[in-house]
């Protein structure tokens, strides 16, 4: 026995075992009858394997061996994607004010009631500063994005439209609006220039949609938003956000069917961001929301099967892309560090700079002012570094999670405000986990294309094919 043991030890020297010294594949039950997933949490590599073939996949010469040959490439790609990008977009608030008083808004009520309008002169000057910054810091030919955001940007209509007119060739513009103030002329101006338009509507019926979204006097805006949706019917570059709360989660399947009926090309089912107390008071229970959320995703597939027309749920599609092609994802909330201060930043109506719009009501995250300070210097301030330095590896229990790079433990603003610090998880952990399992089941059943934008993979490259 001793001799045999010595031989085994001798034979073991120099061999690469799956004991933490190299690429590790972690088995993940995805709730599928036939398939499980093998995932390397460090690089976001995954493979679907028949449950009765997992041992073969991990045997010498199997999947693990093939992956090891490419593991360093995947690691470098993930490192570059997480830490090597520079800002290419700005969320720009031309006003602090809003004509609505939504319960979950991340901007404090005092700002929304009596905040600042940015003057036309200052807005044009700000866009000029951003133009120079991006020209110097982005590759030649790459056009940066400016999303006019809220509060409600159309309350400062004159300045907003002057900026869109004067800098139309310099930026890819978007407008996130509640849609209540847009005239026919406004819509013609925006659509004729291909400007992306985002609206908000929280349910398919007025009584539910108005529970959290209403005017200061408590009136519904459901009819006005619906009228704007009808005017945008057929316009490919618009979307509708449904903010999911405890008050409307049961309506999600009906809501996506409603959006599909009105030919909305893309929607977002955004779990309410719990940055402010008003939002936390209507936060759904994680396990309940997950059930309604996945049922709504099922309904989008049923609608596609029945009509041949997709309605893409953009934030779920982003989870799918995080799995299929991590660097092709379009939203940067579901990665760690998130996109705040790293891929984009926010500018308030006073010109103050924040890592993301979610922080605009939090003075500690004000990194400087666009009109006074150098942008690159602002990106390195402690206010920004708190966000850009937040890594999932530093967060418990996220650092041990197999799907940590498909989720990213969002959102830093709500983690800080709701859970007490940047080293804490965000909200809706179970929802993200269940979305990943759901996405992997779709891939196993070859249904995932129905949930994604057409031609999503046009510019992707296959690194490893098994």
């Amino acid at each position: 026995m001793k001799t045999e043991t010595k031989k085994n030890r001798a034979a073991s020297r120099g061999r690469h075992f799956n004991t933490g010294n190299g690429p590790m594949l972690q088995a993940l039950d995805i709730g599928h009858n036939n398939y499980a997933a093998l995932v390397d949490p460090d690089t976001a590599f995954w493979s679907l394997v028949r449950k009765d073939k997992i041992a073969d996949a991990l045997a010498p010469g199997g999947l693990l061996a093939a992956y090891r040959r490419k593991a360093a490439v995947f690691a470098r790609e993930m490192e570059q994607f997480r830490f090597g990008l520079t800002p290419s977009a700005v969320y720009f608030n031309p006003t602090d004010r809003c004509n609505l008083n939504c319960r979950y808004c991340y901007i404090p009520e005092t700002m929304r009631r009596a905040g600042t309008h940015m003057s036309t002169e200052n807005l044009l000057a700000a866009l000029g500063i951003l133009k120079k910054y991006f020209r110097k810091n982005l590759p030649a030919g790459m056009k940066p994005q400016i999303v006019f955001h809220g509060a409600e940007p159309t309350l400062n209509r004159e300045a907003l439209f002057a900026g869109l007119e004067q800098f139309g060739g310099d930026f890819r513009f978007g407008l996130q609006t509640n849609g209540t103030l847009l005239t026919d002329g406004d819509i013609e101006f925006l659509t004729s220039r291909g400007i992306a338009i985002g609206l908000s509507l929280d349910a398919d019926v007025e009584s539910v949609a108005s529970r959290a979204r209403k005017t200061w006097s408590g009136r519904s805006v459901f009819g006005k938003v619906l009228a704007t949706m009808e005017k945008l019917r057929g316009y490919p570059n618009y979307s509708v956000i449904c903010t999911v709360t405890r008050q409307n989660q049961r309506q999600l399947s009906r809501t996506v069917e409603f959006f599909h009926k009105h030919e909305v090309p893309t929607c977002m089912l955004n779990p309410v961001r719990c940055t402010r107390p008003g939002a936390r008071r209507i936060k759904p229970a994680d396990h309940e929301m997950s059930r309604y959320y996945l049922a709504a995703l099922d309904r989008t597939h049923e609608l596609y099967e029945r009509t041949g027309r997709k309605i893409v749920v953009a934030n779920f599609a982003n989870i799918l892309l995080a799995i299929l092609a991590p660097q092709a994802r379009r939203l940067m909330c579901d990665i760690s560090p998130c996109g705040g201060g790293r891929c984009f930043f926010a500018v308030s109506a006073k010109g103050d700079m924040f890592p993301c719009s979610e922080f605009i009501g939090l003075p500690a995250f004000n990194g400087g002012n666009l009109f006074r300070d150098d942008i690159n210097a602002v990106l390195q301030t402690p206010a920004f570094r708190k966000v850009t330095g937040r890594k999932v590896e530093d967060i418990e229990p996220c650092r041990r999670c197999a799907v940590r790079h498909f989720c990213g433990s969002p959102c830093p603003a709500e983690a800080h405000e709701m859970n007490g610090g940047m080293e804490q998880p965000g909200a809706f952990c179970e929802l993200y986990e269940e979305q990943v399992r759901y996405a992997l089941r779709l891939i196993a059943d070859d249904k995932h294309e129905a949930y994604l934008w057409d031609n999503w993979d046009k510019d992707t490259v296959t690194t490893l094919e098994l």
Side-chain angles (χ1 to χ4, degrees), residues 312-322 329 435 451-453:
V312 175
V313 179
N315 44 324
F316 172 69
N318 206 60
I319 297 289
L320 259 176
L321 289 179
R329 67 183 92 190
Q435 283 187 90
Y451 294 77
L452 292 167
W453 298 275

Side-chain angles (χ1 to χ4, degrees), residues 373-425:
D373 302 310
D374 176 74
I375 293 176
N376 283 320
V378 171
L379 297 178
Q380 299 304 317
T381 59
F384 272 63
R385 297 289 291 177
K386 288 178 189 175
V387 179
T388 59
R390 180 180 184 264
K391 304 192 300 294
V392 72
E393 291 88 346
D394 299 330
I395 302 169
E396 185 66 35
C398 305
R399 65 185 183 85
R400 296 180 283 111
C401 180
V403 302
R404 59 179 177 260
H405 289 321
F406 305 143
C407 162
S409 192
C411 151
E414 65 186 2
H416 188 272
E417 293 299 295
M418 181 175 76
N419 293 332
M422 287 295 179
E423 74 285 358
Q424 300 298 320

Side-chain angles (χ1 to χ4, degrees), residues 5 39 48 152 157 198 212 231 276 285 345 384 414-415 436 450 464:
T5 301
V39 180
L48 292 171
E152 177 46 48
R157 185 190 181 283
K231 292 173 183 177
R276 300 200 64 80
F345 54 87
F384 272 63
E414 65 186 2
V436 172
L464 175 62

Side-chain angles (χ1 to χ4, degrees), residues 100-106 112 210-214 245-247 272 276-282:
L100 302 188
N101 185 27
C102 302
R103 288 186 65 184
Y104 46 69
C105 188
Y106 54 84
R112 288 183 284 117
S210 304
R211 288 172 181 168
R213 293 185 65 81
K214 57 186 72 174
T245 69
R246 190 176 66 249
Q247 298 175 319
V272 61
R276 300 200 64 80
R280 296 196 284 275
R281 285 192 285 270
I282 53 176

Side-chain angles (χ1 to χ4, degrees), residues 436-456:
V436 172
R437 294 179 194 275
Y438 183 91
L440 288 167
R441 291 197 297 272
L442 293 180
I443 297 168
D445 293 332
D446 198 25
K447 293 181 178 179
H448 55 282
E449 292 287 349
Y451 294 77
L452 292 167
W453 298 275
D454 293 337
N455 302 314
W456 66 269

Side-chain angles (χ1 to χ4, degrees), residues 163-218:
L164 293 171
E165 177 73 45
Q166 184 164 324
F167 289 88
D170 300 304
F171 301 102
R172 294 180 294 119
F173 279 117
L175 173 66
Q176 185 63 44
T177 171
N178 59 40
T180 61
L181 303 175
L182 289 175
T183 67
D184 290 349
D186 295 339
I187 291 173
E188 169 61 26
F189 178 94
L190 296 168
T191 57
S192 66
R193 289 162 173 78
I195 292 170
I197 302 171
L199 305 179
S200 293
L201 193 68
D202 285 352
D204 61 311
V205 292
E206 186 169 20
S207 59
V208 179
S210 304
R211 288 172 181 168
R213 293 185 65 81
K214 57 186 72 174
T215 67
W216 291 98
S217 62

Side-chain angles (χ1 to χ4, degrees), residues 171-436:
F171 301 102
R172 294 180 294 119
F173 279 117
L175 173 66
Q176 185 63 44
T177 171
N178 59 40
T180 61
L181 303 175
L182 289 175
T183 67
D184 290 349
D186 295 339
I187 291 173
E188 169 61 26
F189 178 94
L190 296 168
T191 57
S192 66
R193 289 162 173 78
I195 292 170
I197 302 171
L199 305 179
S200 293
L201 193 68
D202 285 352
D204 61 311
V205 292
E206 186 169 20
S207 59
V208 179
S210 304
R211 288 172 181 168
R213 293 185 65 81
K214 57 186 72 174
T215 67
W216 291 98
S217 62
R219 294 181 180 178
S220 167
V221 295
F222 181 86
K224 288 184 177 180
V225 178
L226 186 56
T228 303
M229 286 171 57
E230 280 302 301
K231 292 173 183 177
L232 289 170
R233 188 188 286 259
Y235 183 56
N237 201 18
Y238 105 98
S239 61
V240 181
I241 292 175
C242 168
T243 299
V244 185
T245 69
R246 190 176 66 249
Q247 298 175 319
N248 68 346
Q249 61 179 345
R250 290 175 175 80
Q251 305 290 127
L252 290 185
S253 293
R254 289 174 48 176
T255 299
V256 294
E257 188 160 358
F258 181 80
F259 290 162
H260 186 270
K261 176 183 176 181
H262 288 274
E263 298 183 20
V264 175
T266 301
C267 72
M268 297 183 74
L269 303 181
N270 275 1
V272 61
R273 285 294 183 216
C274 299
T275 306
R276 300 200 64 80
R280 296 196 284 275
R281 285 192 285 270
I282 53 176
K283 176 188 179 295
D286 209 343
H287 67 283
E288 288 184 1
M289 183 180 175
S290 298
R291 183 170 74 252
Y292 294 119
Y293 202 98
L294 298 188
L297 296 176
D298 285 341
R299 183 64 57 86
T300 67
H301 191 265
E302 293 166 6
L303 293 167
Y304 175 66
E305 292 264 280
R306 189 196 318 159
T307 67
R309 179 164 50 85
K310 295 180 182 179
I311 178 164
V312 175
V313 179
N315 44 324
F316 172 69
N318 206 60
I319 297 289
L320 259 176
L321 289 179
I323 296 169
L324 291 164
Q327 296 181 69
R329 67 183 92 190
R330 301 188 181 190
L331 307 174
M332 297 301 288
C333 295
D334 308 328
I335 185 65
S336 162
C338 75
R342 190 174 66 87
C343 302
F344 55 80
F345 54 87
V347 175
S348 78
K350 293 180 180 178
D352 293 331
M353 295 175 60
F354 298 83
C356 171
S357 298
E358 284 287 332
F359 292 99
I360 280 181
L362 305 175
F365 292 90
N366 182 342
N369 188 276
L370 184 69
F371 299 114
R372 299 191 303 266
D373 302 310
D374 176 74
I375 293 176
N376 283 320
V378 171
L379 297 178
Q380 299 304 317
T381 59
F384 272 63
R385 297 289 291 177
K386 288 178 189 175
V387 179
T388 59
R390 180 180 184 264
K391 304 192 300 294
V392 72
E393 291 88 346
D394 299 330
I395 302 169
E396 185 66 35
C398 305
R399 65 185 183 85
R400 296 180 283 111
C401 180
V403 302
R404 59 179 177 260
H405 289 321
F406 305 143
C407 162
S409 192
C411 151
E414 65 186 2
H416 188 272
E417 293 299 295
M418 181 175 76
N419 293 332
M422 287 295 179
E423 74 285 358
Q424 300 298 320
F428 303 114
C429 177
E430 184 175 339
L431 173 65
Y432 280 96
E433 182 180 344
E434 291 307 316
Q435 283 187 90
V436 172

